[in-house]
Amino acid sequence: MSDKITSFEELEARQSSCSQCLNDKYLGADGKRHVILCGGTGCLSSHSDEIREKFVEVIAAKGLSDKVTVNQVGCFGFCSQGPFVKIFPENTLYRMVKMEDVEEIVDTDLIGGEIVDRLLYVDPKTGEKVAKQEDIEFYKKQIRIALHGCGAIDPENIDEALGADAFKGLAKALKMDRKAVIQEVLDSGLRGRGGAGFPTGRKWSFVPDVEGPKYLVCNGDEGDPGAFMDRSILEGNPFAVIEGMMIGGYAIGAQDGYFYVRAEYPIAVNRLRLAIKAMEMAGLLGDNILGTDFSFRVHIRLGAGAFVCGEETALLNSIEGKRGMPRPRPPFPAVKGLWGCPTCVNNVETLATVPYILREGAEKFASIGTEKSKGTKVFALGGKINNVGLVEVPMGTTLKELIYDVGGGIPGGKQFKAIQTGGPSGGCLTEKNLDTPIDYDNLIAAGSMMGSGGAIVMDEDNCMVDVAKFYMEFICDESCGKCSPCRIGTKRMLEILTRITEGKGSMEDLDALQELASNVKTNSLCGLGQTAPNPILSTMASFKDEYIAHVQDKKCPSHVCKNLMSYVIDKDKCFGCQMCAKGCPADAIKHISPEYVAPGKKLPAMFIDTDKCVKCGACISTCRFGAISKQ
Amino acid sequence: METVNITIEGQSYQVEKGLTILEAAKKCGYEIPSLCAFNHGECSLASCRVCLVEAQEGKGPNRLVASCVYPVSEGMNVTIGSPKATAARRTSVELLLSNHNRNCQECDKNGKCELLHVAQVTGARENMYQGEQTPVTVDMLSPSIKRDTSKCILCGRCVARCQNAHGLSVLGFEKRGFNTIVGPAENRSFMDSPCILCGQCTTVCPTGALTEVSEIDKIDEAFRAGKHVVVQVAPAVRASLGEEFDYPIGTPVTGKMIAALRRLGFERCYDVNFGADLTIMEEGTELLGRIQNGGTLPMITSCSPGWINYAEYYYGDLLDHVSSCKSPHQMQGAIIKSYWAKQMGYDPADVFVVSIMPCTAKKFEKDRPEMEHDGIRDVDVVLTTRELGKMIKRSGINFKRLPDEDWDQDIMGEYTGAAVIFGVTGGVMEAALRTVYYKLTGSEYGKIEFTEVRGHDAGIREASLDINGTVVNVAIASGMKSAKVLLDQIRNGESKYHFIEIMGCPGGCINGGGQSYVKPCFLPNEDDDILDTYKEKRANALYSEDERQTIRQSHNNKQVQELYEKFLGEPNSHLAHELLHTTYNKNRERFN
Amino acid sequence: MAHLQQSAALQIEEICSRYVNEETPLMMILSDIQKEYGYIPLEVQELVSEKTGISVAEIYGVVTFYSFFSLKPKGKNVIGCCLGTACYVKGAQQVVDKFSEILGIKPGETTDDGLFTIDALRCIGACGIAPAVQINGTVYPKMSVDQVPALIEKYRNGGNA
Ligand SMILES: Cc1cc2nc3c(=O)[nH]c(=O)nc-3n(C[C@H](O)[C@H](O)[C@H](O)COP(=O)(O)O)c2cc1C
Ligand code: SF4
Ligand code: SF4
Ligand code: SF4
Ligand code: SF4
Ligand code: SF4
Ligand code: SF4
Ligand code: SF4
Ligand code: FES
Ligand code: FES
Ligand code: FES
């Protein structure tokens, strides 16, 4: 495995033998069974690592070690149903596997050849059990381009990557002229997946053709709270991202690539390190790659907890060891970037898509998607949605398809209220936007933006003013503090929102908020401040009545804002059992009348003293009779 | 010069390529309000957002851009006065004011405050936005500079200036978001940080966040207590004081200044030039002694307390190289309280010495424990040029209508041209060379002017002089960034110099931290390149005074000669050492 | 610097020397020190300044900019409560409030006995299992208010999983 690959021929030979090997594994041609576990962050936190060890242990104990292998791969995407275990060659998918299920899977399936029925996914609509991944509704509308290899290959094994098309795009690129590589990417219509959607080929073409150092930087900061696309890609197939970086590096004439990854992503960082090491050992990084005169080195830099460092110029400052304060543009990084040299900054998903374009051709990529947004987009579906997870759908998929077909709808029979795309820079889309095909321009027209792909679904229990306040709090925390409109303006907006959610707002506050929001947008120095007011503007546009209810009626229609709601006991439903009173930290629950109650009679109902109640919500979950509600 | 064609407010102009919109507009006769930008990109964070204008490039959209950083381009169309642009600038200012302690009336900066100026220009409305304020730090521990973060707009000019002048920034941005402040590490006092108290940062701060610590009150008190209040003025002050009264930069106002001082009630008005001549006698003698007796070389000048602070903090191992001479005003203060007081028949305890200086570090210097003799402080109060301006205005004097008067001429009124040029980088060196030449050769240096050591910038200059077979290598640096280069050479044993002049401020005292503010927005009648030329203009005011002097070498100052004959004996005598020399301390308490 | 122990000083010098060939090593040095010691006090910054020639003010500015760097030591158990959007809309605020209530400290603070620190995090990338809480690196999925007391007790008693 540590043989150096020094020419295109050697690469091809290695790819075909690895691919054979991988196929044998999936199809059972090697005569073995293969247990594959999800090693993504979601599943790891539900003990998939221990489950894997348990498998190894049990398999060894039963003397199956030479007939069964146990492997770990990246995120399957369907995180809310994890941890997952897949058995090849049958391709059976078990979900929500626990430690105590391991014996049974080994006995029943691996030894007995029977499927463990109770661990299969159940389609919530039909109630039927589904044994194979591809038959699950969640996966049906997805196309995996950026996620190629994720959840399929062992991200720590370069041979599995080689077996799954890795470096085919690179090899193709290295045989082309640099300009032709850029042209190919231009033709594909690929737009940056980091947020703004700037055409990647155009960005590459801006890097001047001058001597001296140039850099390609991969933006893996992924600061959008509630998004984990880039993390999953780095964890699931780091080789693809490095390959994309190398193709970009070749195209712009860079010799060094920098990964800037959030320190909160230790698994991603570790897998990236291993991948770089493996590629160096294989001669795929370093001098004269594949016998060409292209030399490239990859470095890793860790973020240290600052959202604004996702902004490209702040990111460059951070790599340079400075405070992550954005720089004014121009000069653009393409002209004057890292250490003053021409630099191109690309997002993880963008780079993960590039190998596909070279490998399969621009035309094929461009055949997917809408007129102005080509290809697919990865979303991290989260919030109030059944199928929380990582999905990749073609551009042009409608929000309805995303939420109801892929996402499986809203849990608990609740009403859909809004979906926030674009994170703190984006906006809320509502019922009326459900038929909007998702692409860069449509989302902007609808008052939100694509952003990096976070998609948080909210239901009737979410208060939109509270959500706007949540984002503004986030922005205030994360503003770098450099420029006055953002540093002070966002604080002032937060103060107004806080007043409103506390029932102290006035109608003038709403006007002031609107005016401030538009000024902060126009006056701020970087994208963070320029987009910070979006959540406010979009919720004010779609949910003005909620704002007005807070201000005029002093009510929070969703019963979220503590000052504007109260807990009440329905005295007809209450049995007077006093369970709630015992758990109340504020001693706020009392008998309506403490009179003597004759034996056998219904106990008198309780009531909540709203002056004492601290609105902790403990009582509501204590009452077994559903007598307590929010108002 | 490559040019581009642009339009501003519909008018066509041809301007230099590469300029920012702000600079180009200035050349074309427009003043766009600005706060954070300073001095052609010395500070260009684009952070205040009060310089927003609308700009359109080609067929592109009409966008609001920060004119202080956005470069002009061919065909660009700039609009400054559109409703959108004016409203945007006003909002930026209003937001700044909403997190600002607006007590202009009692603020040191009132009248010279750029924030108040742009607030007026943009028409910022009072209390437009209101809310919480960033937690405030007020540092008044140092005798030199005061920091009040409630006035800070985080423009970063001070950070850039300290960095550019001294290489190592003492000030920096701390924390982030709404909690961001600018200050020394850990938000400490200047007294607890490696700050050299030079005051450079105060000269660029647009607001009242960094100002000198005023000592005017102490003078009032001294008068009230019936002291004999004597004033002495450093040479650089006369090159800048006129600016306080709207004279063109570089107008020497010595005569009016003296007239004003008399009217302020000082019993005697002396020029520190007398002390400067005295310093040359002492320092020149010390240098020759070191050269002839194999003493520690190179010897470094000691008249800039900013530099002395730096030496003690960063180069404690090189203190032997620093001349033991006190700075001129400290020497002169010591002489006033001994020689002069005796002559006048005064108890030295009743004599009160006020120094008017271009400098904030001198405020700290006068408080050093070493600066006294028999419990009598050499100098009691140091005022900056700016404070003198305030004092004059306060007393109702119409400066422009004052007659020209002359210094008191009793026993320390005479001075030479050599002393005058102390105020500019290279001046001490030139003055010393004139005297050293004489001492070594017994005759005067014919040309008088050692132009090779002249200049007014912050770079390093060097010269080599063959004086009757004795080769003297000299070097000059101002600002600690340049000085560091020379000091590291010494530390590494690679210095080829005998004598080095170091000044704390880039350009020397003419550009001292206590001099008048050079803020283009308050100087409507100056040229638009004033920030590039003010140092030269001030320096020329001093060089021209040197030329006008009949005596131009310190050793020819008759009254200094008399002082030695009647009182001190010889240069470097025992008494001279007690009164005029000092010691340094690398473990000074303020650093702990 | 006077307060820094000899051994610690040596180790910090060693960390600085790891990156002598880097153009701009500050972030890497600080990350390593933070990882090694859990915090970066001013004396350490002064030493780093001496070794790298970067001014203390600049180092301090960097340390206080990034939320990962801490000027004070953290508790033995660091409870990282995710307050990212996905977690927030699923009730993460209540979870944080519960931790705060029981431990009597606000996010960012450490208990007097030095046992616990609460950190409010902005998405740890485990949104699929929101609300997520991370204690000393172990992620606890789908946290609810009711689970909080037991979790605290577990870590109070040595805390092995
Ligand atoms: C406040 C802010 C945060 C950002 N965060 C990210 C991020 O987390 N990841 C990312 O790839 N791009 C982020 N971006 C966008 C980047 O600045 C940059 O446009 C992107 O990395 C370019 O890559 P692309 O062209 O491949 O999209 C952010 C931008 C702003 C203004
Ligand atoms: S907009 Fe906000 S984040 Fe961006 S530079 Fe200004 S203060 Fe910093
Ligand atoms: S919400 Fe909390 S404080 Fe209020 S009544 Fe219920 S248990 Fe008591
Ligand atoms: S727990 Fe429910 S039924 Fe029991 S006293 Fe409380 S409200 Fe009534
Ligand atoms: S700094 Fe300027 S605006 Fe602020 S109080 Fe002083 S004079 Fe007024
Ligand atoms: S006084 Fe001088 S050394 Fe001190 S902070 Fe200001 S510029 Fe820097
Ligand atoms: S102290 Fe003055 S110069 Fe420094 S950042 Fe604040 S306002 Fe600007
Ligand atoms: S150069 Fe002059 S003004 Fe500056 S610190 Fe030295 S003595 Fe003071
Ligand atoms: S982490 Fe396992 S499916 Fe996403
Ligand atoms: S002067 Fe341009 S942003 Fe401050
Ligand atoms: S929002 Fe909590 S893990 Fe992502």
Side-chain angles (χ1 to χ4, degrees), chain A residues 310-332:
Chain A
E311 199 281 337
E312 56 186 13
T313 57
L315 185 154
L316 297 178
N317 275 342
S318 185
I319 294 183
E320 290 182 14
K322 302 186 190 133
R323 290 163 62 86
M325 302 201 291
R327 309 170 179 174
R329 295 179 301 183
F332 288 90

Side-chain angles (χ1 to χ4, degrees), chain B residues 35-36 43 109 147-149 151-159 171 173 181-183 201-202 204-210:
Chain B
L35 281 176
C36 63
C43 180
K109 212 49 178 285
R147 179 170 64 102
D148 177 353
T149 65
K151 306 277 169 76
C152 176
I153 57 161
L154 301 178
C155 66
R157 286 185 187 182
C158 55
V159 179
L171 294 162
F173 286 88
I181 54 166
V182 164
C201 49
T202 67
V204 295
C205 180
T207 70
L210 289 170

Side-chain angles (χ1 to χ4, degrees), chain A residues 224-228 456, chain C residues 82-88 122-128 130-132:
Chain A
D224 177 359
F228 51 102
I456 308 285
Chain C
C82 179
L83 272 179
T85 324
C87 294
Y88 185 79
R122 297 293 189 180
C123 190
I124 52 173
C127 327

Side-chain angles (χ1 to χ4, degrees), chain A residues 423-445:
Chain A
S425 310
C428 287
L429 300 166
T430 61
E431 199 76 45
K432 66 177 194 294
N433 306 114
L434 280 181
D435 291 317
T436 307
I438 303 170
D439 73 5
Y440 288 101
D441 311 288
N442 285 339
L443 287 187
I444 287 178

